[in-house]
Amino acid sequence: MLLIPCPHCGVRPETEFVYGGDATVRRPDPKTASLDAWAAYIYERDNPKGPHTELWLHASGCHSWLVVERDTVTHAIGQVRQARDAAS
Ligand SMILES: [Zn+2]
């Protein structure tokens, strides 16, 4: 089981969190994006082996969205920060 260190609640089991997807995907500009760009945004994701930047919601805790650095091979958790801080 993964143990994710929430900045507010401390180290918690993954069962308290909901995976929110790849944190590096950016929404296309609605004024200029093509249909192909929208299709890629909605359906296409990488499946990396190794370090991955992910969104996790602490659903059974503080309800914060977090950006978690996780290795998909070892499941080692690296840096964890608030998503609102990571977006700026
Ligand atoms: Zn929390």
Side-chain angles (χ1 to χ4, degrees), residues 21-76:
D22 185 341
T24 64
V25 176
R26 295 291 174 250
R27 185 182 176 97
D29 183 344
K31 295 177 183 172
T32 60
S34 66
L35 289 178
D36 287 344
W38 280 108
Y41 169 71
I42 293 169
Y43 297 112
E44 296 177 9
R45 294 292 181 268
D46 292 332
N47 187 17
K49 182 177 182 181
H52 192 226
T53 304
E54 304 171 333
L55 286 169
W56 288 81
L57 172 66
H58 196 182
S60 296
C62 62
H63 298 261
S64 292
W65 280 100
L66 306 175
V67 175
V68 177
E69 306 291 336
R70 183 177 67 90
D71 190 303
T72 60
V73 176
T74 65
H75 299 293

Side-chain angles (χ1 to χ4, degrees), residues 79 84-85:
Q79 183 182 27
R84 66 177 178 225
D85 297 338

Side-chain angles (χ1 to χ4, degrees), residues 5-10 12 16-17 58-64 66 82:
C6 175
H8 298 288
C9 309
R12 302 292 187 180
E16 293 188 7
F17 295 83
H58 196 182
S60 296
C62 62
H63 298 261
S64 292
L66 306 175
Q82 289 277 331

